[in-house]
Amino acid sequence: MSEHINKYHKGSEWRKWDLHFHTPTSYDYKNKSITNQEIIDNLISNDIAVVAITDHHIIDVERIEELQKLGSDKVTILPGIEFLCESRGSDPIHFIGIFPEKCNLQFIWEQIKNQTNIKRIYGDGKSENEVYCELENTANLIHELGGITTIHAGSKTNTLDNITHSLPHGVAQKEDISRHIDIFEL
């Protein structure tokens, strides 16, 4: 019998996942003094089983690898990244790429950094909140690299629902976006 089956001896059970989690690496994170150990301790104390680190326009490879070591056997850390999208309603839409726990994270980060508009942060000196990534091409890249995509939906801020339903082009834009998204985050 495998170790994984023995770990959950009751069969199916509910587990808490957070697939949209920021760290002090994110440009808009308020308390930059939070340590990786404090992050792990807080996740464990809140019974979070799986978390995706989705900082804005950056994959902090070193931080994610340290969080994975600190959380080993207690919480699963999935690498991810949050993008500002060129598709807009009243505010820019955000979408996320999430990757497997055991992936070549440095390779993935280099591909994203060089094949999306994130390269403008490094090449043109733009700030993180001045760069918008094209959703279709970026989502395709995420999928090619073995990841999945999520998008804000519902009443959250920076949501797909900021695009109006009252105009045919808004409905068409939402339909186009939905073809590239795996999970709608409500």
Side-chain angles (χ1 to χ4, degrees), residues 9 50 52 61 63 73 98 136 151 170:
H9 61 280
V50 179
V61 175
R63 180 184 296 275
D73 296 327
I98 300 172
E136 181 177 349
I151 196 165

Side-chain angles (χ1 to χ4, degrees), residues 1-2 12 15 21 45 49 54 76 87 94 99 115 126 138 147 170 180 184 186:
M1 208 173 240
S2 82
S12 297
R15 298 172 64 206
F21 188 91
S45 71
T54 58
T76 298
S87 299
H94 293 195
F99 299 93
Q115 293 188 44
K126 297 284 186 182
T138 305
H180 302 284
F184 292 85
L186 299 172

Side-chain angles (χ1 to χ4, degrees), residues 64-76:
I64 291 171
E65 288 174 348
E66 182 179 346
L67 288 167
Q68 287 174 329
K69 286 177 190 168
L70 292 170
S72 177
D73 296 327
K74 298 176 196 105
V75 60
T76 298

Side-chain angles (χ1 to χ4, degrees), residues 15-128:
R15 298 172 64 206
K16 293 180 189 176
W17 289 36
D18 186 340
L19 298 179
H20 186 167
F21 188 91
H22 296 291
T23 73
T25 299
S26 238
Y27 71 87
D28 60 345
Y29 198 86
K30 302 292 185 242
N31 185 353
K32 299 287 188 186
S33 68
I34 298 290
T35 68
N36 289 338
Q37 187 63 59
E38 289 172 318
I39 290 170
I40 292 299
D41 291 346
N42 191 25
L43 292 168
I44 292 168
S45 71
N46 284 288
D47 297 320
I48 304 297
V50 179
V51 65
I53 306 300
T54 58
D55 292 322
H56 289 278
H57 282 175
I58 189 167
I59 295 177
D60 186 339
V61 175
E62 189 175 310
R63 180 184 296 275
I64 291 171
E65 288 174 348
E66 182 179 346
L67 288 167
Q68 287 174 329
K69 286 177 190 168
L70 292 170
S72 177
D73 296 327
K74 298 176 196 105
V75 60
T76 298
I77 307 293
L78 300 176
I81 183 171
E82 183 168 2
F83 301 92
L84 295 175
C85 177
E86 91 293 355
S87 299
R88 302 176 138 248
S90 55
D91 291 311
I93 294 169
H94 293 195
F95 67 104
I96 293 173
I98 300 172
F99 299 93
E101 177 184 22
K102 297 190 186 322
C103 64
N104 184 340
L105 190 53
Q106 186 64 49
F107 175 79
I108 287 171
W109 172 229
E110 292 299 324
Q111 297 306 303
I112 289 172
K113 186 167 61 170
N114 292 304
Q115 293 188 44
T116 68
N117 277 339
I118 290 175
K119 64 186 168 203
R120 297 187 66 210
I121 296 169
Y122 301 94
D124 299 341
K126 297 284 186 182
S127 68
E128 290 89 344

